[in-house]
Amino acid sequence: MISLFPLRRLRRLRKNEKIRSLVRETRIGLEDLVYPIFVKEGIEGREPIKSMPGQYRLSINEAVKEAKELVELGIPAIIIFGIPKHKDEIASEAYNSKGIVQRAVREIKKEVGDELIVITDVCLCEYTTHGHCGIVEDGKILNDPTLKILAKIAVSHAEAGADIVAPSDMMDGRVGAIREALDEAGYEDVAIMSYSAKYASSFYGPFREAAYSKPAFGDRKSYQMDPANFREALEEVYLDIQEGADIVMVKPALAYLDVIHAVKWEFNVPVAAYNVSGEYSLVKAAAEKGYVDEKSIVLEILTSIKRAGADIILTYHAKDVAKWLNS
Ligand code: PBG
């Protein structure tokens, strides 16, 4: 006879919310969340981003206000994306000590100090006329010349007061180049969170509208990963750790839970997952239409990302989650 004991036990532990909570394996808390913000040069106030309902391009003043609000909500970290006035072939605004991100970091840090961890996205695509993440010559993205620029960007962010720099370009060798440049400049304490397994994904669509960073020609498939590849992600993560990444990231999150899971169990470094713009906007659009319940679907998604193995989640839903969890 088949014993019903195991089946009954599972039922007994689902009987009511108190018991379910007692045996719950994964909990979503604010302490793991990072909120992305866009800071735009030359504007007053805030501009709504059409493709991302509830998200804005912020002036520096607004970014400082936002930072204070995040501290009050209990969100521990932000990641800053810059939108410069001036773009050129070599992304010179990206490493300008008076550039939009550098000024924003200074002002935010002046206001909130250690109350908020400031992470900066290190990339060229928002700063180049062609919108690619590297230097372009004859229609090709050049890896090695890009490394020098990435290192300069990272050092300029560290000088401004960033706690963590996050290279999102996917050039080979950039973590090593950035680590060396930071150490040489005396920023041994500035950590690197590397976008290690970053897929060439359609889920970035809304972000590219938000940051005006759509490539003017071609796509990013020569440097970002093929969504079909899993083992290659482990290779990318391995190389980044070898080069000195302190935290590794998988991006996007929801369609890549298998990758997050594998990275978590294969390596002993903190794993971040980026719940990207397209994942956010899909939920927002469906919720606005009343097809899904926003709060429960967002909490389910974030819980699943965490269950898969993410220690840190970057998400545009962070402020809403804070309001839900704090209420
Ligand atoms: C810049 C960068 C992108 C994102 C983060 N950093 C866009 C891209 O690679 O095209 C995407 C974030 C999102 O979609 O929320 N390289």
Side-chain angles (χ1 to χ4, degrees):
M1 210 176 77
I2 297 168
S3 164
L4 285 177
F5 172 73
L7 179 71
R8 293 274 154 75
R9 181 184 46 132
L10 297 178
R11 282 290 165 76
R12 281 193 284 269
L13 298 181
R14 281 176 208 148
K15 202 166 64 180
N16 62 41
E17 180 49 27
K18 274 267 181 295
I19 293 184
R20 286 194 292 276
S21 172
L22 189 70
V23 299
R24 189 160 290 143
E25 298 173 30
T26 308
R27 269 171 229 280
I28 196 82
L30 295 181
E31 56 281 356
D32 310 316
L33 303 184
V34 180
Y35 186 62
I37 65 165
F38 299 92
V39 190
K40 184 174 170 183
E41 197 168 30
I43 61 164
E44 299 277 342
R46 46 179 69 206
E47 279 177 14
I49 299 167
K50 236 179 70 201
S51 57
M52 301 175 70
Q55 303 300 316
Y56 300 85
R57 299 184 196 93
L58 308 170
S59 66
I60 290 181
N61 279 343
E62 287 294 312
V64 173
K65 272 194 227 162
E66 194 81 22
K68 283 196 278 191
E69 193 189 335
L70 295 173
V71 171
E72 272 161 35
L73 287 170
I75 295 169
I78 49 170
I79 179 162
I80 304 180
F81 295 94
I83 306 169
K85 253 192 197 163
H86 170 77
K87 300 189 190 222
D88 59 28
E89 295 283 301
I90 54 163
S92 57
E93 272 305 308
Y95 51 84
N96 180 351
S97 62
K98 296 196 178 68
I100 180 69
V101 168
Q102 292 81 354
R103 279 191 290 143
V105 172
R106 276 195 191 94
E107 293 299 317
I108 289 171
K109 274 291 175 189
K110 203 156 69 185
E111 195 63 38
V112 298
D114 285 340
E115 298 281 317
L116 189 70
I117 301 161
V118 172
I119 308 174
T120 54
D121 185 81
V122 173
C123 198
L124 274 59
C125 62
E126 295 115 62
Y127 303 86
T128 50
T129 38
H130 46 70
H132 276 288
C133 303
I135 295 296
V136 172
E137 211 176 86
D138 299 329
K140 277 218 180 103
I141 322 301
L142 304 183
N143 193 88
D144 294 1
T146 304
L147 298 184
K148 294 190 187 74
I149 297 181
L150 291 165
K152 268 164 80 169
I153 300 172
V155 170
S156 76
H157 290 175
E159 258 163 24
D163 300 292
I164 302 178
V165 293
S168 66
D169 51 283
M170 286 296 275
M171 297 300 129
D172 293 335
R174 92 271 206 216
V175 173
I178 289 172
R179 186 70 268 161
E180 196 181 312
L182 286 174
D183 290 353
E184 246 167 49
Y187 298 108
E188 290 94 348
D189 289 344
V190 171
I192 300 177
M193 175 169 79
S194 179
Y195 289 69
S196 302
K198 179 174 179 182
Y199 286 89
S201 170
S202 298
F203 283 101
Y204 310 148
F207 175 96
R208 291 180 189 169
E209 195 220 286
Y212 314 110
S213 62
K214 193 172 178 295
F217 67 90
D219 52 40
R220 303 205 205 288
K221 290 181 185 163
S222 70
Y223 43 104
Q224 296 182 351
M225 287 183 55
D226 182 340
N229 292 357
F230 170 87
R231 284 176 299 167
E232 192 187 338
L234 300 184
E235 182 74 15
E236 289 280 8
V237 168
Y238 173 79
L239 291 171
D240 280 3
I241 294 171
Q242 292 282 304
E243 288 178 32
D246 300 291
I247 300 169
V248 295
M249 192 200 297
V250 175
K251 177 184 173 200
L254 195 52
Y256 298 85
L257 295 181
D258 55 333
V259 180
I260 295 172
H261 184 79
V263 170
K264 167 73 162 213
W265 296 109
E266 200 69 36
F267 303 101
N268 292 323
V269 297
V271 181
Y274 200 142
N275 176 222
V276 299
S277 59
E279 297 173 58
Y280 172 84
S281 298
L282 286 177
V283 168
K284 280 286 180 183
E288 266 173 25
K289 290 203 157 202
Y291 295 163
V292 296
D293 176 63
E294 182 171 348
K295 176 180 168 182
S296 58
I297 212 165
V298 168
L299 293 176
E300 184 176 336
I301 288 171
L302 297 180
T303 301
S304 300
I305 294 170
K306 198 156 176 210
R307 190 198 62 235
D311 300 295
I312 301 165
I313 305 176
L314 295 84
T315 179
Y316 302 96
H317 296 294
K319 275 171 65 180
D320 290 334
V321 173
K323 286 170 195 158
W324 296 326
L325 295 187
N326 292 339
S327 68

